[in-house]
Amino acid sequence: MSLSLVVLSALALSACGDHAAAPAADQVAEGAVADDVTKTPGVMMPADLPRVCRAGLAAIHGQRVADIQIEGIEGEIVKASWRAPVDGGRLFADCRVQGDVVTWRPTSLPDPAQERWMDTAGDPVVRFVLRGEEIEVNQTFPDGTREQAMLRVEEGGADG
């Protein structure tokens, strides 16, 4: 199929969908409105930064949220650690949030040159959505595959 035919088909289809009549306000069920409100993603507040980083790092590294410990916060960077699965030592990382994207970098490595932010085209893109005490983490890998996780992260840190 030629590119011009695909473009024309897309334009024709988009024009058709805009004319559907919206239901009158008195025809919308109360439950539907309430469901939409509860499904609306939350807005990230400064206090959510450690929660989002814990969820993001847990999803990225296959850890439980409860295993990600916050070591400190310096400006907009969260410093975290967790038990290394192989030798029982500790792994360390910095985490930051830009918009709805979580980025991280390993820290405390023997070779500081390897301590780079994982935000290049060859790295997964990690996005989040706040949903109350749950945080939805969506990873898109360079090959186009995706993973999604819903992680419970309470403000006080008591989670699992």
Side-chain angles (χ1 to χ4, degrees):
M1 185 179 265
S2 74
L3 181 59
S4 59
L5 184 57
V6 171
V7 171
L8 287 174
S9 297
L11 288 172
L13 287 173
S14 65
C16 293
D18 291 338
H19 301 294
D26 60 347
Q27 293 176 340
V28 176
E30 265 183 56
V33 172
D35 286 346
D36 286 345
V37 170
T38 60
K39 291 179 184 177
T40 302
V43 174
M44 187 171 128
M45 304 301 286
D48 292 319
L49 179 61
R51 295 178 59 230
V52 169
C53 282
R54 286 181 72 206
L57 290 169
I60 291 164
H61 296 287
Q63 300 293 311
R64 293 178 333 136
V65 170
D67 294 337
I68 305 293
Q69 301 299 310
I70 301 300
E71 302 291 335
I73 300 174
E74 292 180 9
E76 295 181 1
I77 296 178
V78 174
K79 299 190 168 293
S81 72
W82 60 97
R83 186 179 162 280
V86 176
D87 64 7
R90 303 268 325 147
L91 296 174
F92 296 88
D94 286 348
C95 171
R96 65 184 178 199
V97 175
Q98 297 170 310
D100 67 342
V101 176
V102 176
T103 56
W104 72 283
R105 70 176 170 195
T107 60
S108 301
L109 296 176
D111 180 2
Q114 295 179 338
E115 296 181 2
R116 69 168 183 84
W117 287 103
M118 301 296 161
D119 60 358
T120 66
D123 297 317
V125 176
V126 181
R127 297 187 184 280
F128 74 95
V129 179
L130 291 173
R131 300 195 185 282
E133 290 183 355
E134 289 188 325
I135 299 174
E136 179 182 324
V137 179
N138 297 290
Q139 295 185 74
T140 304
F141 298 92
D143 66 0
T145 59
R146 296 180 179 191
E147 280 186 15
Q148 179 184 34
M150 285 296 282
L151 302 167
R152 184 176 181 80
V153 187
E154 296 177 8
E155 281 188 43
D159 46 46

